[in-house]
Amino acid sequence: MDFTSQELARLRVASGVDPLWETALSLHLLQNRQAPIAFGAWRREVGAALRRSGLVPVTRALTRLCPDGSYFPDFLTPGRGDTDLEAGLDRLLSTPRHRLRAEITRLHAHTKGPVPAGLRTLADGCPQALHRLGAALRAYHQVAVEPYLTAMCAQAAADRTVRAHAVLAHGAEGLLTAYDQLPGWRYRDRTLRAPYPVERELGLRGRTLTLVPAFFCVRAPLALVDEELPPVLVHPLSPAPGWLERSRPGGDAPVAQLIGASRAELLRMLDRPMTTMDIAAALRLAPSTASRHATVLREAGLLLSQRQGVRVLHHRTGLGRAVLEGVPR
């Protein structure tokens, strides 16, 4: 992907995880065996929850529309880093009929099979079929994505802080160079190379590129197939193994009993420096509450706060890490 100076100036980083991208990518993870160490426990837990909720048939229907393969319809992921599920579903349900038909036809050209009867009504833009799809996505999201949003948002907030630091220090090119930390990514001389699943050149044509962090994205980045749509590049957040256990209440029982569950979670998030607003967004707290928690941890020597311009960045200290990990300093 090549950038002009104007395209560099228009770069945008999404404010958080996009619920419909995460829904689609989580459906892929249920179909494949990728990243078993990081997502094996999540697969088992979600599989059991889907069975308890009677959503296995719904999920099977969604995987036929969103298979883990070289193509799934762009209309399933209409957002560009939007964080509101209902807004995303409204956009999905407003997809023009010609796009529904073209993308579902393309999907079944890839799978080398006829379009099933149930999907033909969706391809025709049948309102009832669209509303059934919206209800299915909402129900699946409630079981497979929503319970994990705290961990997802914390990871996205930490990633956004890294991107913000890169921009403040080195501008838009610094932002792209910072992606070199991801395996297979490289930005040099206004060209970004990434390990996309197939050989592809994404042309911006003067448009704004939105970089979207995704929790359930594994290894390779993703983009919309239709290059006439506003361009996005979805990149993996790569949560560390054990994230699910650590996200549970009492997952860090000793430290949570010592300093409280919210402060333990705040301390755990600080693998990378974060602002008070980042912390508030990740933990779904009022900024004043996040600030109070940070003050208590700072006074205990567990984090360090440093001002950079108009922002205050919070870092975990060595003592904070020792308390969190339960090991001698």
Side-chain angles (χ1 to χ4, degrees):
M1 184 188 310
D2 296 323
F3 292 85
T4 65
S5 56
Q6 291 84 3
E7 289 161 354
L8 282 171
R10 292 177 180 144
L11 271 174
R12 173 179 174 263
V13 177
S15 60
V17 293
D18 184 302
L20 287 179
W21 271 106
E22 297 293 355
T23 296
L25 294 171
S26 70
L27 283 164
H28 293 171
L29 279 179
L30 287 180
Q31 297 171 71
N32 61 40
R33 298 296 175 189
Q34 290 183 340
I37 296 176
F39 289 106
W42 171 85
R43 283 190 184 94
R44 291 189 293 273
E45 184 171 288
V46 168
L50 291 170
R51 289 190 291 274
R52 286 195 306 272
S53 305
L55 290 175
V56 170
V58 167
T59 304
R60 286 199 188 112
L62 288 174
T63 59
R64 287 193 288 273
L65 184 60
C66 188
D68 175 42
S70 58
Y71 178 77
F72 66 95
D74 288 333
F75 70 79
L76 291 173
T77 52
R80 296 187 293 279
D82 307 317
T83 57
D84 183 77
L85 174 64
E86 293 305 320
L89 287 173
D90 284 346
R91 292 177 67 180
L92 187 157
L93 297 178
S94 301
T95 304
R97 185 177 301 177
H98 71 273
R99 268 194 63 198
L100 292 170
R101 183 177 297 112
E103 292 180 17
I104 290 174
T105 300
R106 181 171 188 164
L107 170 65
H108 286 278
H110 277 259
T111 58
K112 297 182 172 59
V115 179
L119 288 185
R120 283 201 297 271
T121 58
L122 182 62
D124 289 337
C126 170
Q128 290 82 1
L130 279 165
H131 285 293
R132 282 196 299 272
L133 173 59
L137 288 167
R138 189 180 289 108
Y140 170 82
H141 180 278
Q142 187 173 14
V143 170
V145 178
E146 188 175 310
Y148 311 100
L149 278 176
T150 296
M152 295 166 66
C153 291
Q155 190 89 11
D159 182 82
R160 186 175 171 84
T161 297
V162 171
R163 310 303 164 204
H165 290 174
V167 171
L168 289 171
H170 303 291
E173 292 205 272
L175 168 64
L176 293 176
T177 301
Y179 282 94
D180 284 4
Q181 65 187 281
L182 296 176
W185 290 62
R186 182 177 174 85
Y187 176 77
R188 297 291 184 275
D189 302 322
R190 293 192 177 181
T191 298
L192 178 65
R193 301 187 185 280
Y196 199 75
V198 296
E199 189 69 26
R200 181 180 178 189
E201 177 69 30
L202 181 59
L204 296 180
R205 306 197 303 274
R207 297 173 299 171
T208 298
L209 174 68
T210 301
L211 296 154
V212 180
F215 191 82
F216 292 116
C217 182
V218 174
R219 300 193 187 101
L222 291 170
L224 297 170
V225 173
D226 186 346
E227 294 197 7
E228 297 306 311
L229 297 171
V232 300
L233 188 61
V234 177
H235 65 84
L237 284 172
S238 304
W243 66 267
L244 180 60
E245 294 78 6
R246 291 192 299 273
S247 70
R248 293 290 180 244
D252 285 316
V255 69
Q257 290 172 11
L258 178 65
I259 62 176
S262 293
R263 290 170 190 160
E265 180 63 24
L266 190 163
L267 199 60
R268 183 167 48 242
M269 291 190 310
L270 293 181
D271 289 328
R272 299 167 179 170
M274 298 177 71
T275 67
T276 303
M277 293 304 293
D278 292 334
I279 293 167
L283 292 179
R284 299 182 179 181
L285 299 173
S288 58
T289 304
S291 179
R292 284 198 300 275
H293 286 325
T295 298
V296 170
L297 294 175
R298 182 172 59 252
E299 291 175 349
L302 304 181
L303 66 76
L304 176 68
S305 301
Q306 294 179 320
R307 182 169 292 281
Q308 291 190 1
V310 298
R311 305 182 318 149
V312 175
L313 288 172
H314 305 291
H315 310 250
R316 192 169 58 216
T317 64
L319 177 60
R321 183 168 54 254
V323 168
L324 190 63
E325 295 174 354
V327 297
R329 190 181 179 191

